[in-house]
């Protein structure tokens, strides 16, 4: 990813206030990156025909068309990224449809409703499913998040970071003209720490720190206008990533494709962060052949 996303930004809408906020954020992002904006409204289709199935399908389709019209009306005469906006109404579950879109664009944006813990456990959410399963980068805009310019971008940097993660963070900071905070979290569990230190594939904390410094210098040369700081904290990475975050921030985290259920069972960092982050969260997935073909 670079400062010009040539394949565009896609945003999912369903007519709710949260999706309209996501639309505002996506339109602003398309402007900053000179990218085409595509608005997608998806509607579920019944798996099997049955009594009332046709009526439900028609209602769902009409609701999707209403959401698409509401999005077009909200944008008005705007041309995000300097291009005409595309508006698509597509059949299928929203998470699946948007995940398909993410394989051919640079960023998919979706809103996050303020679901309770029980609702999320029983029903899941489009944002969690999309962030877990999409092959491309996903931005989740929670209810109440600011859609204007951020005060800070925070990126969680681990022992083994993909190039896309840090470059996304630097590109966003450059495009939005805000400082970048690089957060490195080390564990407090002595058993885990010992295992990590003995693992030659990951190396020791000092080796990891040196490698991170080298990577940051690389991206700093590409984005010389970005002012960044490095913060090291010990403890739970989810707690550290969420610490002192506000609705005017942006959080960037790495993600690996897995099912939404697996993410919740294992309490993956991206899934746990998405549940409570007050600001937009960018989940950057690895673009590798094995991740793109995984089931």
């Amino acid at each position: 990813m670079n400062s010009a996303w040539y394949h565009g930004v896609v945003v999912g809408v369903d007519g709710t206030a949260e999706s309209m906020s996501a639309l505002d954020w996506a339109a602003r992002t398309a402007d900053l990156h000179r990218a085409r904006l595509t608005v997608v409204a998806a509607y579920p289709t019944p798996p099997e025909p049955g009594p009332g199935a046709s009526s439900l399908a028609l209602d769902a389709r009409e609701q999707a068309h209403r959401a698409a019209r509401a999005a077009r009306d909200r944008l008005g005469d705007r041309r995000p990224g300097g291009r005409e906006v595309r508006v698509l109404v597509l059949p299928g579950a929203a998470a699946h449809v948007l995940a398909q879109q993410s394989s051919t664009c640079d960023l998919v944006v979706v809103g996050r409703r303020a679901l309770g813990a029980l609702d999320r456990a029983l029903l899941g959410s489009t944002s969690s499913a999309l962030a877990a399963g999409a092959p491309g980068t996903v931005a989740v805009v929670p209810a109440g998040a600011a859609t204007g310019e951020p005060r800070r971008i925070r990126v969680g940097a681990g022992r083994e970071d993909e190039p896309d993660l840090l470059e996304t963070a630097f590109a966003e900071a450059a495009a939005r003209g805000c400082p970048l905070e690089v957060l490195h979290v080390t564990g407090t569990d002595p058993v885990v720490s010992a295992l990590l230190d003995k693992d030659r594939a990951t190396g020791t904390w000092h080796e990891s720190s040196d490698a991170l410094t080298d990577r940051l210098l690389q991206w700093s040369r590409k984005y010389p206008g970005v002012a960044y700081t490095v913060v090291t904290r010990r403890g739970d990475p989810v707690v550290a990533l969420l610490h002192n975050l506000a609705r005017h921030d942006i959080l960037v985290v790495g993600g690996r494709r897995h099912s939404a259920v697996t993410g919740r069972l294992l309490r993956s960092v991206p899934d746990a962060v998405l549940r409570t982050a007050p600001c937009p969260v960018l989940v950057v997935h690895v673009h590798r052949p094995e991740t793109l073909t995984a089931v």
Side-chain angles (χ1 to χ4, degrees):
M1 183 182 294
N2 54 39
S3 59
W5 293 340
Y6 300 111
H7 296 293
V9 176
V10 173
V11 57
V13 298
D14 60 6
T16 61
E18 292 83 3
S19 73
M20 293 298 105
S21 292
L23 173 65
D24 293 340
W25 193 89
R28 176 60 179 157
T29 300
D31 279 334
L32 291 171
H33 292 278
R34 306 182 301 281
R36 159 169 268 175
L37 178 66
T38 300
V39 179
V40 175
Y43 61 93
T45 55
E48 296 181 2
S54 297
S55 176
L56 290 174
L58 287 174
D59 289 345
R61 183 176 180 181
E62 179 54 34
Q63 182 177 350
H65 277 283
R66 287 197 298 270
R69 289 193 295 270
R72 191 182 291 277
D73 291 343
R74 189 179 186 89
L75 291 172
D77 296 330
R78 290 186 60 187
R79 291 166 52 90
R83 308 180 190 184
E84 292 293 336
V85 176
R86 292 191 302 179
V87 180
L88 305 176
V89 178
L90 301 173
H96 177 71
V97 170
L98 292 172
Q100 288 182 318
Q101 293 289 322
S102 77
S103 65
T104 57
C105 72
D106 290 294
L107 178 69
V108 171
V109 183
V110 66
R112 191 197 81 202
R113 298 180 184 178
L115 295 178
L118 180 59
D119 290 333
R120 292 182 67 86
L122 294 177
L123 303 177
S125 73
T126 297
S127 58
S128 291
L130 181 62
T137 299
V138 175
V140 177
V141 182
T147 56
E149 293 309 313
R151 66 167 188 172
R152 165 187 61 181
I153 292 177
R154 173 181 291 173
V155 57
R159 289 173 176 266
E160 296 179 341
D161 289 325
E162 307 79 18
D164 284 351
L165 177 63
L166 287 177
E167 183 168 15
T168 296
F170 270 88
E172 280 300 305
R176 298 177 188 272
C178 66
L180 174 64
E181 178 187 290
V182 181
L183 176 64
H184 188 99
V185 183
T186 61
T188 56
D189 187 330
V191 175
V192 173
S193 297
L195 289 175
L196 288 173
D197 287 340
K198 291 181 180 179
D199 187 348
R200 295 182 180 180
T202 58
T204 65
W205 151 241
H206 296 290
E207 293 169 347
S208 176
S209 179
D210 292 341
L212 176 60
T213 299
D214 292 341
R215 293 197 300 273
L216 290 174
L217 288 174
Q218 172 192 347
W219 295 120
S220 180
R221 294 189 189 101
K222 183 172 181 178
Y223 299 96
V226 174
Y228 73 90
T229 57
V230 180
V231 177
T232 302
R233 291 198 181 100
R234 296 183 64 84
D236 186 333
V238 174
V239 174
L241 286 167
L242 294 174
H243 176 70
N244 201 32
L245 270 186
R247 58 188 296 269
H248 295 283
D249 295 324
I250 292 178
L251 179 62
V252 182
V253 295
R256 298 185 181 276
R257 291 185 67 205
H258 51 68
S259 71
V261 172
T262 300
R264 285 191 291 272
L265 289 177
L266 298 179
R267 197 174 181 263
S268 70
V269 170
D271 186 72
V273 165
L274 287 175
R275 297 183 186 187
T276 54
C279 63
V281 179
L282 270 69
V283 182
V284 183
H285 293 101
V286 187
H287 288 266
R288 295 175 182 164
E290 64 267 26
T291 60
L292 295 178
T293 57
V295 177

